[in-house]
Each structure stands twice: as C-alpha cells, then as structure tokens.
Amino acid sequence: MVESDGAKAADVPVSPGEGRYLCGLLYLSLLDCEPISNGDLATYLNVSGASVTEMIETFDDDGLVEYERYGGAALTERGEAVAREILWRRCAVREFFETAAGVTLDDDRAYRIGFTLSEAEVHALSERVDQPCRGRYEATTAADCDALAG
C-alpha cells in the first residue's frame, strides 16, 4: 500500500489518502454509477486520472475493488466495509467533539483524527454521544452522505 500521506491506523488496512479513494468510490456507487470510471472518480476527488488508475490497480490487487481496465471499478464487499468503517470513525469523532466539547471539526480534521485512534478508542468516543450510526456508516444513498471523500 502507498504510505506517502500518513500512517495507517493499526486496524484500518489503508492510509488516510487511500481511504479518500475508497470513500469516493462508495459515494459514487451510492449514486448507482457502478462500475465507476477512473475519470468520474478523478473528477469527484479533484485528482489526476493517473493517480486514480494507480490507486484502483492497487486496490484491485488487495481485493478492495474489482477493476476492469476501460470498464471501471466497483468496491468488493471488503472494500465497502473498509470505506464504511473509515466514515464511521469520522462520524464518531465529529459527533464526540461537537457533543462533549462544543467544538465543530471540519470533515478533514475529524477524518484524520479518526485514523489516529484504534477501533476501541473510536468505540469509546461513540458510546459517549448519540451517534447516528454504531460501528458502521449506514448510508444507503448518496443523499445520506456528507462529503464522503474525507
């Protein structure tokens, strides 16, 4: 896995930058756009097509997406589970800071903090607030999502 933008959490198999791609794939898949073209993901994330191709191929090798060159990519069950855990972490951190401390974190900061905590620590935060999702991000449509790219 590419590690250029930060360390992975011990229990998340991707880095924060890689997670952005998975979360973008989840958002686009909730729009019923599967398979997702590299160009659509590049546009959504505002990154180059080459970086998307490289990341998608890595995810395909790691079993997080199914990818067919010129055909597009779709999250595997495992890839979707990882994306949903990442988003749950962000949600738990944001809700905890807002509820317990009265501090509003932007999505990017909550996303990055969520990566630095273990799953047990995120669960501990989540148990202290009334969080809309418990242990997994539950969005079923793109309209349920807010800034999924993290």
Side-chain angles (χ1 to χ4, degrees):
M1 297 270 168
V2 178
E3 298 263 2
S4 62
D5 60 350
K8 299 174 197 173
D11 43 13
V12 177
V14 297
S15 71
E18 293 166 333
R20 286 186 68 234
Y21 288 81
L22 285 178
C23 293
L25 285 165
L26 176 59
Y27 177 78
L28 293 172
S29 71
L30 292 173
L31 289 173
D32 294 324
C33 293
E34 286 189 320
I36 298 151
S37 75
N38 290 7
D40 287 345
L41 185 58
T43 299
Y44 178 71
L45 295 175
N46 195 30
V47 297
S48 74
S51 69
V52 168
T53 299
E54 180 181 345
M55 191 62 61
I56 294 296
E57 289 174 348
T58 299
F59 288 158
D60 186 45
D61 292 344
D62 293 341
L64 297 170
V65 302
E66 292 178 358
Y67 175 64
E68 184 176 318
R69 192 171 184 95
Y70 306 113
L75 288 168
T76 62
E77 190 173 307
R78 178 174 173 248
E80 182 175 341
V82 170
R84 287 183 180 278
E85 179 178 342
I86 291 166
L87 293 170
W88 164 73
R89 287 168 171 267
R90 184 192 72 183
C91 180
V93 167
R94 186 175 48 213
E95 290 296 319
F96 176 80
F97 273 82
E98 286 181 9
T99 303
V103 175
T104 301
L105 297 178
D106 64 39
D107 285 334
D108 184 57
R109 186 167 307 258
Y111 177 86
R112 293 199 175 274
I113 291 170
F115 257 94
T116 65
L117 301 174
S118 71
E119 183 176 358
E121 292 166 330
V122 178
H123 274 287
L125 294 181
S126 180
E127 290 171 4
R128 289 173 172 75
V129 296
D130 184 25
Q131 185 184 358
C133 49
R134 296 279 180 205
R136 177 182 161 112
Y137 199 74
E138 299 296 338
T140 57
T141 69
D144 295 337
C145 305
D146 56 338
L148 281 181

